[in-house]
Amino acid sequence: QAKLIFMISLVLGTTITISSNHWVLAWTGLEINTLAILPLISKSHHPRAIEAATKYFLTQAAASALVLFSSMPNAWHTGQWDITQLTHPTSCLILTSAISMKLGLVPFHFWFPEVLQGSPLITGLILSTAMKLPPLTLLYMTSPSLNPTVLTTLAILSAALGGWMGLNQTQIRKIMAFSSISHLGWMAIILTYDPKLTLLNFYLYSMMTAAVFLTLNTIKVMKLTTLMTAWTKTPSLNAMLLLTLLSLAGLPPLTGFLPKWLIIQELTKQDMAPAATMIALLSLLSLFFYLRLAYCTTITLPPHTTNYMKQWRTNKPTNPMIAILTTLSITLLPIAPLIRFIF
């Protein structure tokens, strides 16, 4: 019952923010979202979950306050409270940092891996996808007046740190958090040039992440060592997880290659070839840890010298959503022209 209320509140908060024109209304939606997700994070009453909820609350409250604060200089100078009329440079700068804090862009990323590590997998999925939509829509609405240099810097730093810090992780939720940070870098770099591509990247990223998280939730895996022995549970699901992870890494001919391809193409059109080269090379870092996840998923059999506990096959029916999401995460590249036409 309570869970239903929190879910409805999440949808409500997101809808309010997305459809608002006034800064105060957008802020209200963000606050409703924050308060609705907190019980879902701290559900297990584990000290780490409580810590995660506290960290999340503090960062999001500070970021929401900054969002409101950013609209004030603009209102003083222009007399406008309209979101799309954000023209004052100081306001734009404060807003960029506030939204970066909400999303977990570098250098405001420290809270995100910790919070994701303390949450259950499904809450982690909501945190990495649905909770990023309202701040992204605010960026989308203000994108013409934002500073491209700042965003590009944040984006390249995010791609770099998301890749580097994910390399030595063994906890899968933390790896997914760093992967999320590097994907946010890709979204931020294109924002001022072609904001629709940012949204396209976000939708495809959400789809692939949902497929990964739901699969992990089905095979009940939290860290790399348990992933190595989980292949006996549902072998076909693990094979699909391999492909979804490679798609998330952005390898052609899978769906994940599509947003990277379009973004690099647009950046070269905008004479940003050096930035495009840098972010493309930095995505190799995250490719490494996706490959490691993929290896642990399917390719490496557990070493037979030690007695590993093989896990029993479960005859539980898997979530039909996984099939749909995985299929979409793997096969959407051929309809790229159609997707480009829509966006």
Side-chain angles (χ1 to χ4, degrees), residues 133-162:
L133 183 58
L136 267 175
T137 46
L138 288 181
L139 278 184
Y140 179 80
M141 288 192 275
T142 53
S143 61
S145 45
L146 295 177
N147 185 339
T149 320
V150 173
L151 277 169
T152 309
T153 313
L154 291 181
I156 288 175
L157 282 173
S158 295
L161 268 153

Side-chain angles (χ1 to χ4, degrees), residues 121 215-222 226 230 233 311 316:
L121 279 170
T215 307
L216 293 172
N217 190 49
T218 304
I219 54 181
K220 295 281 178 282
V221 164
M222 296 286 193
T226 45
K233 273 187 181 177
Q311 291 166 356
K316 265 199 337 237

Side-chain angles (χ1 to χ4, degrees), residues 287-325:
L287 172 65
F288 178 81
F289 61 73
Y290 288 124
L291 276 178
R292 201 171 64 186
L293 269 173
Y295 246 84
C296 289
T297 310
T298 46
I299 304 171
T300 43
L301 296 179
H304 294 296
T305 46
T306 53
N307 288 330
Y308 260 98
M309 286 290 287
K310 280 223 178 67
Q311 291 166 356
W312 286 89
R313 281 200 184 192
T314 48
N315 290 327
K316 265 199 337 237
T318 49
N319 188 345
M321 276 305 290
I322 297 179
I324 301 166
L325 288 168

Side-chain angles (χ1 to χ4, degrees), residues 235-258:
S236 51
L237 193 61
N238 271 33
M240 288 288 102
L241 179 60
L242 163 84
L243 286 171
T244 316
L245 284 165
L246 294 181
S247 181
L248 204 51
L251 289 184
L254 305 165
T255 308
F257 177 59
L258 172 61

Side-chain angles (χ1 to χ4, degrees), residues 28-238:
T28 313
L30 292 171
E31 285 299 309
I32 292 173
N33 257 359
T34 303
L35 294 175
I37 195 88
L38 284 174
L40 297 178
I41 299 175
S42 57
K43 193 173 65 183
S44 64
H45 299 300
H46 189 274
R48 179 161 284 181
I50 306 295
E51 182 191 349
T54 312
K55 282 179 179 167
Y56 185 76
F57 173 73
L58 291 174
T59 45
Q60 297 298 313
S64 294
L66 268 180
V67 166
L68 262 190
F69 181 62
S70 72
S71 61
M72 281 178 185
N74 195 60
W76 280 332
H77 279 264
T78 60
Q80 285 279 359
W81 283 101
D82 198 317
I83 294 181
T84 49
Q85 304 292 324
L86 192 78
T87 47
H88 197 254
T90 316
S91 286
C92 292
L93 208 60
I94 300 173
L95 180 79
T96 309
S97 50
I99 301 288
S100 305
M101 202 163 166
K102 269 208 159 316
L103 290 171
L105 268 172
V106 175
F108 309 101
H109 65 287
F110 296 103
W111 61 273
F112 190 52
E114 302 289 326
V115 170
L116 217 60
Q117 182 54 35
S119 319
L121 279 170
I122 298 297
T123 310
L125 168 60
I126 296 173
L127 279 172
S128 340
T129 56
M131 297 302 285
K132 306 242 185 245
L133 183 58
L136 267 175
T137 46
L138 288 181
L139 278 184
Y140 179 80
M141 288 192 275
T142 53
S143 61
S145 45
L146 295 177
N147 185 339
T149 320
V150 173
L151 277 169
T152 309
T153 313
L154 291 181
I156 288 175
L157 282 173
S158 295
L161 268 153
W164 262 310
M165 293 177 76
L167 291 180
N168 59 351
Q169 301 295 336
T170 54
Q171 295 285 346
I172 293 178
R173 283 169 296 182
K174 274 200 172 159
I175 293 179
M176 292 308 290
F178 288 117
S179 110
S180 180
I181 291 169
S182 57
H183 273 273
L184 279 169
W186 281 89
M187 290 175 219
I189 199 164
I190 198 67
L191 186 74
T192 43
Y193 305 108
D194 192 347
K196 285 193 170 168
L197 274 185
T198 299
L199 287 187
L200 171 68
N201 193 349
F202 174 71
Y203 295 145
L204 292 178
Y205 160 75
S206 299
M207 193 173 68
M208 296 182 285
T209 308
V212 171
F213 268 108
L214 289 173
T215 307
L216 293 172
N217 190 49
T218 304
I219 54 181
K220 295 281 178 282
V221 164
M222 296 286 193
K223 48 183 191 290
L224 288 179
T225 44
T226 45
L227 188 59
M228 283 188 187
T229 54
W231 63 274
T232 48
K233 273 187 181 177
T234 42
S236 51
L237 193 61
N238 271 33

